[in-house]
Amino acid sequence: MFESSPPRLLPWTRPDGAPCYLSTDDPDSRLSVLADTVEAELLAAAEALLDEAGVPSAAPEPAPQERCRTVALRNALRDVLRVAVSRGDRLPEPCDHGETKLCEGRTCCRACRRQIYL
């Protein structure tokens, strides 16, 4: 029996704030492509925000507590962005066989058993 890949966490939430998932084995489906586009835009926005956060402002000096919070948020954003880019860089190129199945709890190519990250 063919086992499908696990649901993909989408980069947006429902109106009530709950996560949205996509269950498909087609990385070229309209919703998969839209999610890829939104993820790329979110990473670009995070990079721009991180660059902007490093530029000194002409505004009055913030209180020490606000400055500490800003530094902590900037560092957290930098770390999360680094992890996201690193994970994306480690994804292997998909094989051309097209069919997937679960191999020891992981999504693999049905033909060559190479692990596929969806």
Side-chain angles (χ1 to χ4, degrees):
M1 178 176 186
F2 180 74
E3 297 179 47
S4 65
S5 60
R8 172 185 178 172
L9 177 64
L10 295 171
W12 53 79
T13 60
R14 297 186 330 202
D16 64 358
C20 290
Y21 294 93
L22 173 63
S23 181
T24 182
D25 285 326
D26 182 6
D28 295 321
S29 72
R30 290 172 60 182
L31 200 50
S32 291
V33 171
L34 177 62
D36 291 341
T37 301
V38 170
E39 287 172 351
E41 290 172 359
L42 289 172
L43 287 173
E47 288 175 340
L49 183 59
L50 193 55
D51 289 343
E52 186 179 308
V55 177
S57 169
E61 187 69 24
Q65 182 178 349
E66 289 299 315
R67 189 176 15 212
C68 288
R69 185 176 301 134
T70 300
V71 169
L73 287 170
R74 183 180 184 280
N75 290 341
L77 176 59
R78 182 197 61 225
D79 294 344
V80 167
L81 185 57
R82 185 183 312 119
V83 168
V85 170
S86 171
R87 286 184 178 178
D89 288 345
R90 288 184 277 142
L91 294 178
E93 290 297 317
C95 61
D96 294 328
H97 298 114
E99 290 189 42
T100 62
K101 68 177 185 174
L102 287 180
C103 307
E104 299 170 8
R106 298 183 177 181
T107 304
C108 297
C109 172
R110 199 176 262 293
C112 67
R113 295 185 52 90
R114 180 174 163 198
Q115 185 172 354
I116 299 171
Y117 299 87
L118 301 175

